Amino acid sequence: MGALAASGAAFALAGCGLGASGARFTMASGEPGGTYVEFGELLRAALQRRGAFELDLRTTLGSVDNLGLLARGEAQLAISLADALDPSAPAPVAIGRVYQNYLQCAVLADSGMRVLADLAGHRVSVGAPGSGAAITARRVLEAAGLATGEGAAITSELSIVDATAALEAGEIDALFWSSGIPAPAIASLRERVAIRFVALADVLPALDSAYPDTYLSTALPRGAYGGVDDVPTVGTPNFLLASRDLPDDAAASLVDVLIEEAETLVPAGSVGVQYLTAANLIDTSPVPLHPAAAARYRTRYG
């Protein structure tokens, strides 16, 4: 038996033993009403079906909160936007690049706001405190010249639940949110009131200049929220991260789930680009893969 095959057999046996040993880990996910929580629930169910290990989900305010929990050892797994990682902080390791987030800027349909420049002087929620959305949105506003000065947007940091309620009530004029699509809270808002999305992709050259190889050109597909046109926007990869001391057999089991249960890990109704493919799972640069995850990918794909 070759070294890789032997490694794969060892991981398979170890993975089988996890469930029997009652292994349990905590994953920092996100806010109710967001896709991080949906993904976490689907991942937990897949692990249970396979008898791998138990996964406790911890609701949080998003990427920055998740990274803090991971760094402090209060969670062994976390999901995070790539741009939320602090290069000066101790680096976690990755299990895989799981899907793409879309930066969404929702406004009321009768607001007249269609492009970023239209947000000048308006009240804008950039996302929850401690969320990756807030980081991305503030960078977008800065790149568009709307962060400071006379024409700056008037920003606040609201959870997605509070932001949708505030937009509906006319207490803010726009909300930013970063997630898979459709985001449940925004889809629910659309059922109550007519909304549209502001086009954001024009700011990508300035973003790429300031933060190379971090953001992607993408679009909210016309079917995401029942719209009639694609809306150009900014995409950001999401990583499933782990503490460096996550046991090897747990990391290997997670890789197997990401590969073999990919279709079941996409929230119902999600549309557009999903990264749960062999080619994209391993693309976690600049975050290194957990050594056992890397070994498992080599076993599966050579």
Side-chain angles (χ1 to χ4, degrees):
M1 181 182 292
L4 287 178
S7 173
F11 282 136
L13 290 172
C16 290
L18 278 172
S21 67
R24 197 175 201 101
F25 303 105
T26 297
M27 175 178 162
S29 55
E31 291 186 64
T35 50
Y36 278 7
V37 168
E38 286 190 308
F39 175 78
E41 290 169 346
L42 294 170
L43 181 61
R44 176 174 61 189
L47 289 164
Q48 287 175 338
R49 286 194 300 272
R50 299 170 69 91
F53 57 83
E54 292 297 321
L55 188 64
D56 293 325
L57 297 181
R58 181 160 174 175
T59 56
T60 69
L61 291 173
S63 296
V64 176
D65 203 5
N66 293 352
L67 291 169
L69 291 169
L70 197 63
R72 295 191 297 273
E74 296 176 40
Q76 295 76 49
L77 296 165
I79 190 162
S80 173
L81 285 169
D83 64 347
L85 291 158
D86 181 356
S88 66
V93 289
I95 301 297
R97 171 175 169 171
V98 288
Y99 63 92
Q100 174 177 266
N101 260 29
Y102 297 75
L103 187 63
Q104 301 152 72
C105 181
V107 298
L108 296 180
D110 61 2
S111 70
M113 290 183 281
R114 295 181 179 274
V115 297
L116 262 174
D118 295 333
L119 300 183
H122 286 282
R123 301 163 298 174
V124 179
S125 171
V126 295
S131 70
I135 291 174
T136 310
R138 289 193 184 280
R139 288 180 176 181
V140 164
L141 292 174
E142 181 179 7
L146 297 173
T148 58
E150 187 175 344
I154 304 164
T155 60
S156 59
E157 294 186 341
L158 301 176
S159 71
I160 186 58
V161 173
D162 290 343
T164 53
L167 184 63
E168 184 177 8
E171 296 168 357
I172 59 173
D173 304 304
L175 70 84
F176 279 95
W177 190 244
S178 183
S179 69
I181 51 174
I186 295 178
S188 176
L189 172 67
R190 183 185 169 276
E191 292 175 357
R192 302 191 302 271
V193 64
I195 61 172
R196 71 155 58 98
F197 294 91
V198 173
L200 304 175
D202 287 350
V203 80
L204 273 165
L207 274 179
D208 192 54
S209 176
Y211 308 99
D213 304 319
T214 302
Y215 299 103
L216 309 168
S217 177
T218 189
L220 296 177
R222 66 190 65 187
Y225 296 100
V228 295
D229 295 307
D230 293 349
V231 180
T233 192
V234 175
T236 315
N238 264 305
F239 298 149
L240 178 59
L241 302 172
S243 58
R244 289 182 175 270
D245 59 359
L246 182 75
D248 287 356
D249 45 9
S253 292
L254 284 164
V255 168
D256 286 340
V257 168
L258 293 179
I259 292 171
E260 297 173 13
E261 303 258 1
E263 291 185 3
T264 72
L265 298 177
V266 178
S270 290
V271 297
V273 177
Q274 299 295 335
Y275 279 163
L276 288 162
T277 65
N280 288 306
L281 279 170
I282 62 172
D283 185 11
T284 61
S285 179
V287 183
L289 285 165
H290 186 293
R296 192 62 172 155
Y297 283 121
R298 285 195 297 270
T299 301
R300 300 294 300 256
Y301 296 119

